[in-house]
Amino acid sequence: MTDVVGKLWGFCHVLRHDGVDYGDYIEQLTYLLFIKMADERGLELPENTDWKYLRKQSGTDLSDSYIEALRTLGKERGILGDIFSGAQSRFANPVNLQKLIRIIDETEWTSLDVDIKAAVFEGLLEKAAAEGKKGAGQYFTPRLLIQSMVRCVKPDPRASRDFAIGDPACGTGGFLVAAYEWLKDETGGAFDRETARRVRKQTYFGQELVARPRRLALMNMYLHQVEPHITLGDSIYEEPSGQRFDVILTNPPFGTKGANQAPVRDDFVVSTSNKQLNFLQHVLTTLKPGGRAAVVVPDNVLFANQAGEVFELLMQDCDVHTVLRCPRGTFSPYTEGTKTNVIFFIKGQSTKRTWIYDARANVPKITKTSRPLAAKHFAEFEACYGADPNGRSKRLDADSTDGRWRSFSIDEIKTHHYKLDAFKWIRDKELDDPDDIPEPEELITEVMGELQLALDDLADIQHLLEGNGGQS
């Protein structure tokens, strides 16, 4: 896998001289990988758009054939048309296109026991992030974290005929792919005909703001022989559809782009420009009664100016039963310095007690090389979470967790104005170690986060003043 990513990344540098930037390259790569893998899986494509045909072309014939293939595929009905809608070639030189086809042709992609396109894409994002390219983190959630969340929540569509799984910020589809892979592992892929059809066409839903990652999400699921419903749009600033979900798994973008303006939505009780707090309100709206969610949020969501208001609302309408405080560096190197948590809740009953697992204190920072993220970082948490996906397994403060697993009553939470960041009971010796001073990137990220919170507060004050017509 490392060799494949290195080879593709090396060719990306060559294409930079041909005017193809990193984003364009990754998009073109996904088109060609899709066509190649469709050929390997025996999926039928329209005439003169398949891999065998393109592989035989050269020179301007190849350029013309590729352009026409993208246009033809974009006109197809259903998910195939969604994947290639508006697709354009970015290759000015047909020699480079032919070289990339040859590189891809060297590997039997579907024979590898991984979702290869996702792995390649994540590898390229890792390279881009390591080279200082901005924005990689918005498409990336570590697969080990995704898989841990999925194992806890158990998104099993066999539970009911209208079972729906959603991700309102689906990026490249990591949560939807992992949810389906979990189901296959649980069942061995054996379904009756009706269940198989429903799982394939009526179970997995997403929304994504950016066209490129949406394309990859559609491709990932399609090559798993699943046809998801992934719309292109803004989950926060646009009114939601009537679709409601039994399970929502999501990692809303950490960035601040599009913030500083409170969305106008009747279903949002708390008016705020904080994007992550608004995503929590959106999840609350779109969950079915009895539905469950696991949402990745940065630390500032737990202590932001209006965090208390949103969590008070959330805890009145939902049982916020579990919080995982992730290790430092979980998202390195994509969003360096961002400290994250996962909030688990079920809609339809109020919170009586919240359990918090601190996987951060006195845990060495995760790095991509010397201390990479591993399944062991979440294994103990999963054991504490228990087998019940709704967080109702019998739970005890366990000595075996080194005191990392502790619960707090709703009365204690109210005392701290519903701000869960206040509950830190382990002294973090890592922070006292002079050899473990945060990297400049981490400090900058924290400062920028604090500045953004201040801007959010100012924007909310301005919104209130405008709403009152400037009256005092």
Short mmCIF file of all heavy atoms in Angstrom, two decimals, residues 356-383:
data_model
loop_
_atom_site.label_atom_id
_atom_site.label_comp_id
_atom_site.label_asym_id
_atom_site.label_seq_id
_atom_site.Cartn_x
_atom_site.Cartn_y
_atom_site.Cartn_z
N ILE A 356 -17.95 9.63 31.10
CA ILE A 356 -16.84 10.20 30.32
C ILE A 356 -15.64 9.28 30.44
O ILE A 356 -15.25 8.88 31.54
CB ILE A 356 -16.48 11.62 30.80
CG1 ILE A 356 -17.69 12.55 30.68
CG2 ILE A 356 -15.30 12.17 30.00
CD1 ILE A 356 -17.44 13.96 31.20
N TYR A 357 -15.06 8.95 29.29
CA TYR A 357 -13.82 8.18 29.27
C TYR A 357 -12.70 9.11 28.80
O TYR A 357 -12.74 9.65 27.70
CB TYR A 357 -13.92 6.98 28.33
CG TYR A 357 -12.70 6.08 28.41
CD1 TYR A 357 -12.65 5.03 29.31
CD2 TYR A 357 -11.58 6.32 27.60
CE1 TYR A 357 -11.53 4.22 29.41
CE2 TYR A 357 -10.45 5.52 27.70
CZ TYR A 357 -10.44 4.47 28.61
OH TYR A 357 -9.32 3.68 28.72
N ASP A 358 -11.70 9.29 29.66
CA ASP A 358 -10.58 10.17 29.34
C ASP A 358 -9.43 9.35 28.76
O ASP A 358 -8.65 8.73 29.49
CB ASP A 358 -10.11 10.91 30.60
CG ASP A 358 -9.08 11.99 30.31
OD1 ASP A 358 -8.50 11.96 29.20
OD2 ASP A 358 -8.88 12.87 31.16
N ALA A 359 -9.36 9.33 27.42
CA ALA A 359 -8.28 8.62 26.73
C ALA A 359 -7.12 9.55 26.41
O ALA A 359 -6.23 9.19 25.63
CB ALA A 359 -8.80 7.98 25.44
N ARG A 360 -7.12 10.73 27.01
CA ARG A 360 -6.12 11.76 26.68
C ARG A 360 -5.09 11.97 27.78
O ARG A 360 -3.88 12.03 27.50
CB ARG A 360 -6.83 13.08 26.37
CG ARG A 360 -5.90 14.18 25.89
CD ARG A 360 -6.67 15.48 25.67
NE ARG A 360 -7.81 15.27 24.78
CZ ARG A 360 -8.82 16.12 24.63
NH1 ARG A 360 -8.83 17.24 25.33
NH2 ARG A 360 -9.79 15.86 23.80
N ALA A 361 -5.53 12.10 29.01
CA ALA A 361 -4.61 12.44 30.10
C ALA A 361 -3.54 11.37 30.26
O ALA A 361 -3.83 10.17 30.29
CB ALA A 361 -5.39 12.61 31.41
N ASN A 362 -2.30 11.82 30.32
CA ASN A 362 -1.13 10.94 30.53
C ASN A 362 -0.97 9.88 29.44
O ASN A 362 -0.37 8.83 29.68
CB ASN A 362 -1.21 10.27 31.91
CG ASN A 362 -1.24 11.28 33.04
OD1 ASN A 362 -0.52 12.27 33.00
ND2 ASN A 362 -2.09 11.04 34.02
N VAL A 363 -1.50 10.17 28.28
CA VAL A 363 -1.28 9.32 27.11
C VAL A 363 -0.38 10.09 26.15
O VAL A 363 -0.72 11.21 25.75
CB VAL A 363 -2.60 8.96 26.41
CG1 VAL A 363 -2.33 8.20 25.11
CG2 VAL A 363 -3.48 8.14 27.34
N PRO A 364 0.78 9.55 25.78
CA PRO A 364 1.68 10.28 24.86
C PRO A 364 0.95 10.66 23.58
O PRO A 364 0.12 9.91 23.07
CB PRO A 364 2.79 9.26 24.59
CG PRO A 364 2.78 8.36 25.78
CD PRO A 364 1.35 8.25 26.20
N LYS A 365 1.29 11.83 23.08
CA LYS A 365 0.63 12.33 21.88
C LYS A 365 0.84 11.38 20.70
O LYS A 365 1.92 10.85 20.48
CB LYS A 365 1.21 13.71 21.52
CG LYS A 365 0.58 14.33 20.28
CD LYS A 365 1.32 15.58 19.84
CE LYS A 365 0.82 16.00 18.46
NZ LYS A 365 1.60 17.12 17.91
N ILE A 366 -0.26 11.19 19.94
CA ILE A 366 -0.20 10.36 18.74
C ILE A 366 0.61 11.07 17.67
O ILE A 366 0.45 12.28 17.44
CB ILE A 366 -1.63 10.10 18.20
CG1 ILE A 366 -2.51 9.47 19.28
CG2 ILE A 366 -1.57 9.25 16.95
CD1 ILE A 366 -2.03 8.15 19.78
N THR A 367 1.49 10.32 17.01
CA THR A 367 2.21 10.84 15.85
C THR A 367 2.06 9.82 14.72
O THR A 367 1.73 8.66 14.95
CB THR A 367 3.70 11.05 16.14
OG1 THR A 367 4.31 9.78 16.40
CG2 THR A 367 3.90 11.96 17.35
N LYS A 368 2.31 10.26 13.50
CA LYS A 368 2.13 9.36 12.36
C LYS A 368 3.24 8.32 12.23
O LYS A 368 3.08 7.32 11.55
CB LYS A 368 2.04 10.17 11.05
CG LYS A 368 0.79 11.00 10.92
CD LYS A 368 -0.48 10.16 10.98
CE LYS A 368 -0.66 9.28 9.78
NZ LYS A 368 -1.96 8.54 9.83
N THR A 369 4.38 8.55 12.90
CA THR A 369 5.51 7.64 12.71
C THR A 369 5.87 6.91 14.01
O THR A 369 5.70 5.70 14.10
CB THR A 369 6.73 8.42 12.19
OG1 THR A 369 6.99 9.55 13.05
CG2 THR A 369 6.48 8.92 10.77
N SER A 370 6.35 7.63 15.01
CA SER A 370 6.86 6.95 16.21
C SER A 370 5.75 6.45 17.12
O SER A 370 5.91 5.42 17.80
CB SER A 370 7.78 7.90 16.99
OG SER A 370 7.08 9.07 17.39
N ARG A 371 4.59 7.14 17.18
CA ARG A 371 3.48 6.70 18.03
C ARG A 371 2.17 6.79 17.25
O ARG A 371 1.32 7.63 17.53
CB ARG A 371 3.40 7.56 19.30
CG ARG A 371 4.54 7.36 20.29
CD ARG A 371 4.25 8.00 21.63
NE ARG A 371 4.09 9.44 21.52
CZ ARG A 371 5.09 10.31 21.67
NH1 ARG A 371 6.31 9.88 21.91
NH2 ARG A 371 4.87 11.60 21.56
N PRO A 372 1.98 5.95 16.26
CA PRO A 372 0.78 6.04 15.42
C PRO A 372 -0.49 5.62 16.17
O PRO A 372 -0.43 4.84 17.12
CB PRO A 372 1.08 5.08 14.26
CG PRO A 372 2.03 4.09 14.84
CD PRO A 372 2.87 4.85 15.82
N LEU A 373 -1.60 6.12 15.72
CA LEU A 373 -2.89 5.72 16.26
C LEU A 373 -3.10 4.23 16.02
O LEU A 373 -2.80 3.72 14.94
CB LEU A 373 -4.00 6.52 15.58
CG LEU A 373 -5.40 6.41 16.20
CD1 LEU A 373 -5.42 7.06 17.58
CD2 LEU A 373 -6.44 7.07 15.29
N ALA A 374 -3.60 3.54 17.03
CA ALA A 374 -3.81 2.09 16.93
C ALA A 374 -5.13 1.71 17.58
O ALA A 374 -5.69 2.49 18.37
CB ALA A 374 -2.64 1.34 17.59
N ALA A 375 -5.62 0.53 17.26
CA ALA A 375 -6.89 0.07 17.84
C ALA A 375 -6.83 0.03 19.36
O ALA A 375 -7.85 0.22 20.04
CB ALA A 375 -7.23 -1.31 17.28
N LYS A 376 -5.62 -0.19 19.93
CA LYS A 376 -5.49 -0.28 21.38
C LYS A 376 -5.86 1.03 22.08
O LYS A 376 -6.23 1.01 23.27
CB LYS A 376 -4.05 -0.67 21.75
CG LYS A 376 -3.02 0.40 21.42
CD LYS A 376 -1.61 -0.02 21.79
CE LYS A 376 -0.59 1.08 21.47
NZ LYS A 376 0.80 0.67 21.79
N HIS A 377 -5.77 2.15 21.36
CA HIS A 377 -6.12 3.43 21.97
C HIS A 377 -7.61 3.52 22.31
O HIS A 377 -8.01 4.34 23.14
CB HIS A 377 -5.73 4.58 21.05
CG HIS A 377 -4.26 4.83 20.98
ND1 HIS A 377 -3.48 4.45 19.92
CD2 HIS A 377 -3.42 5.42 21.87
CE1 HIS A 377 -2.23 4.80 20.14
NE2 HIS A 377 -2.15 5.38 21.32
N PHE A 378 -8.44 2.68 21.67
CA PHE A 378 -9.88 2.73 21.91
C PHE A 378 -10.43 1.43 22.51
O PHE A 378 -11.61 1.36 22.85
CB PHE A 378 -10.62 3.02 20.60
CG PHE A 378 -10.15 4.27 19.90
CD1 PHE A 378 -9.52 4.20 18.66
CD2 PHE A 378 -10.32 5.50 20.50
CE1 PHE A 378 -9.08 5.35 18.03
CE2 PHE A 378 -9.87 6.66 19.87
CZ PHE A 378 -9.26 6.59 18.63
N ALA A 379 -9.60 0.40 22.64
CA ALA A 379 -10.07 -0.91 23.08
C ALA A 379 -10.68 -0.85 24.48
O ALA A 379 -11.77 -1.42 24.73
CB ALA A 379 -8.93 -1.92 23.03
N GLU A 380 -10.02 -0.20 25.41
CA GLU A 380 -10.53 -0.14 26.77
C GLU A 380 -11.82 0.67 26.85
O GLU A 380 -12.75 0.32 27.57
CB GLU A 380 -9.47 0.46 27.71
CG GLU A 380 -9.79 0.30 29.17
CD GLU A 380 -8.67 0.79 30.06
OE1 GLU A 380 -8.54 2.02 30.23
OE2 GLU A 380 -7.90 -0.06 30.58
N PHE A 381 -11.88 1.74 26.07
CA PHE A 381 -13.12 2.53 26.02
C PHE A 381 -14.28 1.67 25.53
O PHE A 381 -15.38 1.70 26.11
CB PHE A 381 -12.96 3.74 25.11
CG PHE A 381 -14.28 4.34 24.70
CD1 PHE A 381 -15.07 5.02 25.61
CD2 PHE A 381 -14.75 4.17 23.40
CE1 PHE A 381 -16.31 5.53 25.25
CE2 PHE A 381 -15.98 4.69 23.02
CZ PHE A 381 -16.76 5.37 23.95
N GLU A 382 -14.06 0.90 24.47
CA GLU A 382 -15.13 0.07 23.92
C GLU A 382 -15.61 -0.95 24.95
O GLU A 382 -16.81 -1.23 25.05
CB GLU A 382 -14.66 -0.62 22.65
CG GLU A 382 -14.45 0.33 21.48
CD GLU A 382 -13.89 -0.37 20.25
OE1 GLU A 382 -14.30 -1.52 20.00
OE2 GLU A 382 -13.06 0.23 19.54
N ALA A 383 -14.68 -1.49 25.73
CA ALA A 383 -15.06 -2.43 26.78
C ALA A 383 -15.92 -1.74 27.83
O ALA A 383 -16.90 -2.31 28.33
CB ALA A 383 -13.81 -3.04 27.42
#
